[in-house]
């Protein structure tokens, strides 16, 4: 099985789906001749033509709106936000039009919004955000956030084939730093299913996206009996897997890079508190960014984004509880 | 400040080939406009009786626009219809019972109670329902047109919006994207003089139709109270789009003869302005024209009016008999299990080579499956 980076796996998944189904097309800013800000679609215009790798004006609502209309008419559009932060400029079309059409009108809207997200490289307050929680308050959107290259490919394929709007959060910090075995050819990973990334019995770290490699690294470094559950899908949440691991270990640390208040971690904690309270041996802990914008300067940014030592410390405290 | 008045009305910018419309077509145009007026009057009375939750919105005075524009479309064309455009729904084949039931939040409304008033689009008839944010549907129409263009289909997407929408940034995004991609889309702008209470003079410094050229697309300005003028302009725009010529902005000058909603007493509209436009009522003036220019008899026009009245009354009874939706449905339908194509709409204009099913005046629509 070939090893690919997370970035290459996204390209591979997208290319495979475009070869499989001619209704799949990409649209976004600078994705054609330039191949995208992160080169996910490098070479696509040459293979698929400029119509299916459509360079758009700098207008995010126009991108999401066009994708919505095209999806209604039977296409499978994949929108690229140049950075996840810019979904704010296309938010109206996403949450008011695309997300609600099936509930209101019975109209399926099969579109994907790719969202290069996350910080760690001095992107500052407008190129580093993790906006996933915004989408969880908009019923009708599915939300996925892969942590491995294989999942990046498989979840993207499932997102493209899903008949609903799907927000695909691809963490920029993983693009070239995560590399793993990725099945060649067509490959899907089901939406709504979490993955046990590491088996353990004393403590569970529930994580997604960039927090997954951190959690795995912390578990290895601590040499403790730690389980790591990779959520993969943030909506729908895999409640069954979350509750199973919470009941199994009795101690839960929820880790994500996004800010804390009303985040995914809050929802997961509430679920465990309501359904698995009797099985807990310690209070549920969250390790997240504090509720501040992501600052620019490296020292400030490092003070905000959860670091490996923070994960180790939080795990150690919970294990000792 | 000078308020917009009837002097803004233009003559038909696009000459109509008289042969495009048959005598039967003209009767249909009058019938659909009358159906819109009659159904909206009935809905308003239901509102006053307390049978309509929320508020009530209509398109009184603007009937010629939605009817004339929708009349130019073929079955496989697609529409995003707005809240002053009930006539377009009727032209495409939605029946008044489903419209009235939708207003009352009943199970047999087009949305089954999920959404209200004119926030609906009948999927089975090629329509996508509007949202309250304006002009969001212009961008969605672009997307439908983009799909048609990518597949090389000779089809068109059409959407309506008011002049109020042209102040929003998404309008710029829509016009620009359509112009850049030369999309087969027709934008029908209804300038009804007011965005809620805000008059044209406070909405824009340059009339929207003058901006079309800046986006690389033609703009046409027509008398929105003349159904044949609207038909002619939209027909020309549709033909142009179908042949690969790209988008057109058709600005229809008209007047909103009721408040923004039934809760709005329109105290901000000068009485003389309303009176000027009342004299230009699109239905009465078209009926008069049919008598004078097209050899219609009084009895024919009266019969259309009477048939429509009886039909709408019957539809209202059906709507009133429709149950409220099962509360359990409130939690259903957030996600789709599969994608299904939109159906094709009715296209009653005789100009379509592909014959469409006739729309008998007493047609019933099957109960909408839950």
């Amino acid at each position: 099985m070939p090893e690919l980076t997370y970035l290459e796996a996204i390209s591979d998944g997208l290319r495979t789906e475009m070869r499989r189904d001619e209704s799949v097309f990409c649209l976004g800013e600078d994705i054609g001749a330039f191949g995208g800000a992160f080169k996910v679609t490098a070479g696509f215009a040459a293979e698929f033509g400029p119509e299916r790798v459509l360079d758009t004006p700098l207008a995010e609502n126009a991108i999401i709106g066009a994708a919505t209309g095209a999806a209604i008419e039977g296409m499978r559009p994949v929108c690229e936000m140049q950075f996840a932060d810019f979904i704010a400029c296309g938010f109206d079309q996403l949450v008011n039009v695309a997300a609600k059409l099936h509930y209101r009108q019975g109209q399926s809207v099969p579109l994907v919004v790719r969202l290069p997200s996350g910080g760690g490289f001095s992107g500052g307050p407008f190129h580093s955000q993790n906006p996933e929680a915004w989408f969880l308050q908009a019923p009708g959107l599915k939300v996925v956030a892969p942590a491995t290259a294989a999942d990046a490919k498989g979840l993207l394929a499932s997102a493209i084939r899903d008949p609903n709007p799907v927000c695909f959060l691809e963490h920029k910090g993983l693009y070239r730093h995560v590399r793993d075995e990725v099945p060649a050819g067509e490959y899907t990973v089901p939406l709504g299913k979490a993955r046990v990334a590491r088996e353990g019995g004393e403590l569970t770290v529930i994580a997604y996206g960039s927090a997954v490699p951190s959690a795995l690294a912390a578990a290895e470094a601590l040499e403790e009996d730690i389980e790591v559950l990779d959520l993969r899908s943030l909506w729908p949440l895999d409640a069954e897997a979350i509750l199973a691991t919470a009941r199994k270990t009795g101690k839960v640390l929820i880790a994500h890079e996004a800010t804390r208040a009303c985040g995914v971690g809050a929802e997961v904690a509430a679920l465990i508190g309501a359904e698995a309270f009797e099985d807990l041996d310690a209070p549920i802990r969250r390790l997240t960014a504090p509720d501040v914008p992501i600052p620019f300067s490296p020292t400030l940014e490092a003070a905000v984004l959860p670091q490996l030592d923070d994960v180790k410390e939080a795990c150690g405290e919970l294990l000792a509880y | 400040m000078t308020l917009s008045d009837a002097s803004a009305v233009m003559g038909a910018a696009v000459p109509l080939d008289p042969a495009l419309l048959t005598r039967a077509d003209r009767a249909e145009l009058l019938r659909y406009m009358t159906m819109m007026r009659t159904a909206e009057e009935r809905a308003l009375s239901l509102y006053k009786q307390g049978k309509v939750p929320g508020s009530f919105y209509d398109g009184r005075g603007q009937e010629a626009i939605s009817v004339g524009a929708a009349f130019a479309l073929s079955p496989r064309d697609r529409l995003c219809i707005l809240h002053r455009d009930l006539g377009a729904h009727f032209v495409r084949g939605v029946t008044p019972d489903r419209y009235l039931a939708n207003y009352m939040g009943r199970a047999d409304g087009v949305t089954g109670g999920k959404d209200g008033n004119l926030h609906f689009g009948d999927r089975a008839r090629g329509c996508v329902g509007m949202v309250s944010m304006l002009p969001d549907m212009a961008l969605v129409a672009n997307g439908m047109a983009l799909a048609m263009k990518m597949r090389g289909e000779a089809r068109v997407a059409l959407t309506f919006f008011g002049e109020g929408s042209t102040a929003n940034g998404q309008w710029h995004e829509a016009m620009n994207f359509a112009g850049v991609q030369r999309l087969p889309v027709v934008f029908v702008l209804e300038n009804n003089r007011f965005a809620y209470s805000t008059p044209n003079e406070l909405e824009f410094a340059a009339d929207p139709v003058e901006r079309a050229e800046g986006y690389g697309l033609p703009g046409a300005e027509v008398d929105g109270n003349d159904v044949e003028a609207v038909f002619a302009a939209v027909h020309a725009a549709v033909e142009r789009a179908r042949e690969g010529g790209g988008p057109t902005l058709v600005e229809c000058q008209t007047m909103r003869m009721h408040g923004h909603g039934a809760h709005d007493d329109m105290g901000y509209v000068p009485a003389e302005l309303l009176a000027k436009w009342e004299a230009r009522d699109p239905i009465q003036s078209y009926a008069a024209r049919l008598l004078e220019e097209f050899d219609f008899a009084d009895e024919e026009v009266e019969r259309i009016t009477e048939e429509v009245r009886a039909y709408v009354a019957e539809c209202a009874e059906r709507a009133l008999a429709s149950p409220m939706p099962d509360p359990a449905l409130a939690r259903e339908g957030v996600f789709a299990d599969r994608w299904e194509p939109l159906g094709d709409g009715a296209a009653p204009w005789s100009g379509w080579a592909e014959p469409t099913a006739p729309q008998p005046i007493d047609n019933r629509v099957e109960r909408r499956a839950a």
Side-chain angles (χ1 to χ4, degrees):
Chain A
M1 205 180 290
E3 276 209 347
L4 298 178
T5 64
Y6 186 91
L7 180 70
E8 290 165 344
I10 293 169
S11 295
D12 185 37
L14 191 51
R15 191 185 294 108
T16 303
E17 290 303 301
M18 288 180 75
R19 286 175 181 166
R20 185 185 74 90
D21 178 355
E22 65 177 19
S23 68
V24 180
F25 75 105
C26 305
L27 69 168
E29 297 158 14
D30 310 301
I31 65 167
F34 187 60
F38 297 99
K39 303 298 176 189
V40 167
T41 52
F44 277 45
E47 177 173 354
F48 299 107
E51 291 81 15
R52 288 180 72 195
V53 193
L54 190 68
D55 272 326
T56 66
L58 201 162
E60 285 77 11
N61 269 314
I63 293 169
I64 308 285
T68 300
I72 291 167
E73 266 299 308
M75 303 298 286
R76 295 270 168 167
V78 180
C79 308
E80 177 174 306
M81 293 292 106
Q82 198 154 76
F83 287 80
D85 312 65
F86 294 104
I87 190 60
C89 306
F91 210 57
D92 181 39
Q93 286 288 332
L94 186 65
V95 306
N96 284 320
V97 185
K100 294 180 174 67
L101 262 171
H102 191 263
Y103 184 77
R104 298 170 55 235
Q105 318 276 338
Q107 179 57 56
S108 151
V109 183
L111 68 81
V112 176
V113 186
R114 288 186 36 241
L115 298 152
S117 61
F121 55 96
S122 283
F126 307 110
H127 291 74
S128 307
Q129 294 176 83
N130 294 282
E132 51 268 28
W134 297 353
F135 309 123
L136 300 192
Q137 280 285 329
L141 300 178
K142 293 187 178 179
V143 185
V144 298
T148 67
D151 279 357
K153 176 175 178 177
L155 286 170
L156 181 58
S158 292
I160 290 169
R161 298 182 193 187
D162 196 89
N164 298 284
V166 182
C167 297
F168 185 87
L169 292 132
E170 45 192 65
H171 196 287
K172 302 191 291 288
L174 306 183
Y175 270 161
R176 293 178 176 86
H177 291 118
V178 163
R179 169 187 285 274
D180 49 81
E181 288 191 339
V182 178
E186 288 186 29
Y187 176 62
T188 60
V189 169
L191 305 184
K193 292 289 178 197
R195 172 185 73 102
V196 176
R198 185 182 198 270
E199 296 261 6
E202 296 298 315
L203 160 71
T204 302
V205 183
I206 299 179
Y208 63 86
S210 65
V212 173
S214 297
L216 290 170
E220 294 301 320
L222 292 170
E223 296 183 351
E224 295 281 359
D225 190 18
I226 295 173
E227 179 147 303
V228 176
L229 183 74
D230 174 2
L231 289 174
R232 302 201 286 196
S233 286
L234 310 183
W235 201 264
L237 274 175
D238 188 347
E240 195 178 334
I242 291 167
L243 294 173
T245 190
R247 289 178 177 133
K248 176 183 175 187
T249 67
K251 292 182 178 179
V252 176
L253 171 68
I254 304 164
H256 57 61
E257 188 183 299
T259 52
R260 173 169 302 226
C262 302
V264 173
E267 183 63 27
V268 171
L271 173 68
I272 295 169
E275 303 289 333
F277 182 76
E278 302 288 337
D279 298 293
L280 292 178
D281 298 321
I284 300 166
R285 285 278 307 269
R286 279 184 290 165
L287 178 65
T288 69
D291 292 311
V292 301
I294 309 299
F296 166 73
S297 178
T299 56
L300 297 178
E301 187 180 26
V304 164
L305 300 182
Q307 306 294 311
L308 179 58
D309 284 345
D310 301 324
V311 187
K312 286 157 65 178
E313 188 183 333
C315 286
E317 287 171 10
L318 261 183
L319 286 166
Y321 185 89
Chain B
M1 182 195 315
T2 313
L3 284 167
S4 292
D5 61 22
S7 65
V9 174
M10 313 296 290
V14 181
L16 174 70
D17 173 1
L20 280 177
L21 292 172
T22 64
R23 198 171 191 287
D25 288 331
R26 293 192 157 95
E28 289 290 271
L29 289 171
L30 179 65
R31 190 167 74 81
Y32 283 116
M33 288 196 293
T34 306
M35 193 185 294
M36 172 171 168
R37 171 83 49 96
T38 310
E40 290 192 330
E41 285 174 346
R42 188 71 183 90
L44 180 58
S45 71
L46 291 170
Y47 169 79
K48 289 176 176 171
Q49 291 164 14
K51 294 192 169 73
V52 171
S55 193
F56 174 77
Y57 307 85
D58 67 16
R60 191 180 184 88
Q62 300 176 222
E63 293 89 347
I65 299 169
S66 58
V67 170
F71 209 67
L73 296 178
S74 85
R76 300 198 65 230
D77 295 331
R78 298 292 179 249
L79 286 117
C80 302
I81 301 172
L82 266 77
H83 54 303
R84 312 273 183 222
D85 311 319
L86 177 60
H89 287 293
F90 290 162
V91 170
R92 294 306 272 185
V94 173
T95 48
D97 50 342
R98 298 177 69 213
Y99 155 75
L100 294 168
N102 205 67
Y103 247 122
M104 294 189 286
R106 304 298 178 97
D108 295 306
V110 182
T111 68
K114 290 284 183 65
D115 207 340
N117 53 69
L118 263 82
H119 287 201
F120 65 78
D122 188 349
R123 293 190 65 258
R125 295 173 189 283
C127 297
V128 182
M130 64 172 286
V131 302
S132 294
M133 293 72 198
L134 303 171
D136 286 24
M137 303 318 289
L139 290 85
V140 177
N142 272 351
M144 293 198 285
L146 178 64
M148 297 165 182
K149 180 189 162 199
M150 289 177 80
R151 295 188 295 232
E153 300 164 345
R155 299 167 62 207
V156 172
L158 181 147
T159 189
F160 301 90
F161 43 76
E163 89 287 351
S165 295
T166 70
N168 186 277
Q170 287 198 53
W171 190 80
H172 163 73
E173 292 192 32
M175 295 302 117
N176 188 53
F177 189 72
V180 168
Q181 289 293 329
R182 291 177 69 80
L183 298 176
V185 61
V186 179
F187 301 116
V188 179
L189 194 170
E190 298 172 75
N191 187 342
N192 65 9
R193 321 250 74 79
F194 292 90
Y196 208 142
S197 72
T198 307
N200 276 190
E201 289 72 16
L202 294 176
E203 295 188 81
F204 38 72
D207 195 276
V209 76
E210 294 167 17
R211 295 179 235 159
E213 193 183 346
Y215 292 112
L217 51 115
E221 189 173 20
V222 300
D223 178 355
N225 284 30
D226 178 344
V227 69
E228 294 197 10
V230 174
F231 172 81
V234 172
H235 173 258
V238 165
E239 291 304 298
R240 188 169 167 278
R242 222 185 282 292
E243 288 158 12
T248 304
L249 174 65
V250 179
E251 178 167 358
C252 304
Q253 299 290 354
T254 186
M255 171 73 192
R256 196 190 71 208
M257 297 303 289
H258 276 168
H260 169 68
H263 51 273
D264 170 12
D265 68 4
M266 275 207 307
Y268 48 84
V269 177
E272 57 273 24
L273 181 61
L274 269 179
K276 273 186 190 173
W277 284 91
E278 188 67 50
R280 307 192 67 258
D281 181 82
I283 299 174
Q284 286 181 17
S285 56
Y286 194 55
R289 194 168 161 204
L290 292 183
L291 298 176
E292 289 161 20
E293 288 183 39
F294 297 106
D295 198 27
F296 277 63
D298 284 333
E299 306 81 65
E300 281 178 279
V301 170
E302 280 163 23
R303 190 167 66 243
I304 289 171
T305 306
E306 289 311 310
E307 280 178 354
V308 166
R309 271 196 197 132
Y311 175 52
V312 170
E314 183 191 319
C315 286
E317 291 309 310
R318 265 206 300 282
L320 283 162
S322 174
M324 294 303 279
D326 178 353
L329 294 175
R331 288 168 178 266
E332 292 184 7
V334 174
F335 289 111
D337 297 327
R338 62 187 181 283
W339 175 86
E340 288 178 282
L342 297 177
D344 294 340
W349 177 40
S350 64
W352 293 114
E354 38 191 320
T356 56
Q359 294 285 299
I361 195 89
D362 62 346
N363 62 348
R364 309 287 172 98
V365 161
E366 64 288 356
R367 265 174 88 96
R368 182 175 181 273

